[in-house]
Amino acid sequence: MAGRIRIGIGGWVYEPWRGSFYPQGLRQKDELAYVGAHLTATEINATYYSSQKPATFAGWAKAVPDGFQFAVKASRYCTNRRLLAEAGESVAKFTGQGIAELGDRLGPILWQFMPTKRFDPDDFEAFLALLPASVAGVPLRHALEVRHESFADPAFITMAKQAGAAIVYADHEAYPAIEGEDVGFSYMRLMRGQADEPTGYAPDAIARWADRARVLAERGDVYGFFISGAKERNPAAAQMLMTHLK
């Protein structure tokens, strides 16, 4: 049975989207609901910078329809450190802050590492052992976004698979595009949007990403997010990709 493909953007509060993606005059408090009505996923960025309250997660969950999911970006205090093996307290604080309130709207946890972070097999293996399989009865899925070329190593790919963690496939000019093995879901971050292209990516490029998503869906759920690049174009890119997938 094929997995479900969810397509989205990073966050939902961005002034240039007002009047381009969001209708003119839409109240800011209604913007997440609008995202929920027109896309199928989004990344929560606020959790990268600071903890949120359980009631905040519950409110976000209520704002979107059944089937919509949030990828939650893990706290920088977990990943931006010299020794990842010492992140246990930060990981527990992050996972215990209330993300379980998202319930079935909870998608993968995105663990993003700095471009300067190199692959240290022992340290990274110790970090993966810190990632919980669930919190408050809600299963967790983990996606690893590594940005240093040293991670393009069979040992890392094997390590991620054994931990059941997806390797984020990054479409970026400077970060390595690493093909992870099958762990039951896939995660893509598409970061080459161009401002002079109405849909960020050219139509033929979006068609290729649609083909890739269909192939990945044969082995589980797929999450695809248009991030950074020409950020003002990301909602249009996401909607165009969704059109190709219908």
Side-chain angles (χ1 to χ4, degrees), residues 5 48 87 175 178:
I5 302 172
Y48 179 74
Y175 306 149
I178 301 175

Side-chain angles (χ1 to χ4, degrees), residues 26-232:
L26 183 72
R27 297 178 302 177
Q28 184 172 333
K29 69 177 184 177
D30 294 329
E31 289 175 351
L32 175 55
Y34 191 87
V35 169
H38 292 83
L39 304 176
T40 47
T42 194
E43 286 184 354
I44 298 176
N45 295 317
T47 46
Y48 179 74
Y49 299 101
S50 61
S51 295
Q52 308 295 313
K53 296 179 179 179
T56 300
F57 290 103
W60 290 339
K62 291 178 182 177
V64 297
D66 289 346
F68 186 97
Q69 288 191 346
F70 297 90
V72 184
K73 197 171 181 180
S75 168
R76 55 185 170 168
Y77 298 109
C78 299
T79 56
N80 295 357
R81 54 174 61 235
R82 190 175 67 85
L83 289 177
L84 295 172
E86 297 178 354
E89 185 176 341
S90 294
V91 170
K93 180 179 179 182
F94 165 74
T95 56
Q97 69 185 291
I99 61 174
E101 294 293 330
L102 292 173
D104 60 6
R105 269 76 163 166
L106 176 60
I109 307 299
L110 175 64
W111 304 89
Q112 183 186 87
F113 299 87
M114 298 287 285
T116 53
K117 189 64 178 177
R118 294 172 175 268
F119 178 46
D120 178 326
D122 292 339
D123 190 43
F124 210 85
E125 186 171 38
F127 174 79
L128 291 176
L130 300 174
L131 306 185
S134 64
V135 60
V138 177
L140 299 181
R141 290 183 289 180
H142 302 288
L144 310 171
E145 185 183 18
V146 293
R147 296 180 161 188
H148 192 275
E149 60 185 10
S150 61
F151 283 90
D153 183 324
F156 167 64
I157 296 169
T158 298
M159 188 180 294
K161 182 180 182 180
Q162 290 176 343
I167 299 173
V168 173
Y169 188 88
D171 184 40
H172 189 278
E173 59 196 20
Y175 306 149
I178 301 175
E179 294 274 6
E181 296 192 34
D182 183 3
V183 294
F185 78 100
S186 303
Y187 199 121
M188 306 184 299
R189 299 187 95 225
L190 311 181
M191 298 177 274
R192 292 186 195 245
Q194 300 295 318
D196 59 358
E197 182 63 59
T199 54
Y201 279 70
D204 61 336
I206 290 181
R208 289 195 296 271
W209 286 112
D211 290 341
R212 180 181 180 85
R214 290 190 192 95
V215 171
L216 290 172
E218 294 175 3
R219 63 191 203 189
D221 291 346
V222 179
Y223 297 85
F225 298 97
F226 289 90
I227 306 294
S228 61
K231 188 172 179 177
E232 68 275 17

